[in-house]
Amino acid sequence: GRCSPTTRHWRNAGKAVEAYRRALARLPEELRVTFELHEAEGLTYRQVAETLDCPIGTVMSRLHRAREQLMTDLKEQIEEFMP
């Protein structure tokens, strides 16, 4: 049978969460750790730099690369299940 819009919405939301987890897991460790410290843990750039003992510019560069890679990966994965 047909799914209601609500059911389809939740199925796609679940797929999107799984796509995000897969994309995050595919990031190189240094990018993933930097991204998680800033985005998930809420640390500032300076706090991430201190935690990882690296320059703040390195943190900014890693975050930029992580976001680009995540967006590319997610776009490819989401196109598979979103019309």
Side-chain angles (χ1 to χ4, degrees), residues 9-63:
H9 168 78
W10 286 111
R11 283 188 184 160
N12 285 341
K15 290 178 184 178
V17 168
E18 287 306 313
Y20 174 76
R21 289 181 180 151
R22 282 191 300 271
L24 195 57
R26 287 186 196 132
L27 287 176
E29 183 177 5
E30 67 182 15
L31 300 185
R32 186 178 65 252
V33 169
T34 304
F35 184 82
E36 289 177 337
L37 287 172
H38 180 65
E39 297 295 335
E41 301 297 325
L43 274 60
T44 65
Y45 289 0
R46 184 172 310 285
Q47 290 169 323
V48 174
E50 290 171 0
T51 300
L52 299 178
D53 193 28
C54 66
I56 198 166
T58 300
V59 169
M60 295 169 69
S61 174
R62 288 178 184 175
L63 287 171

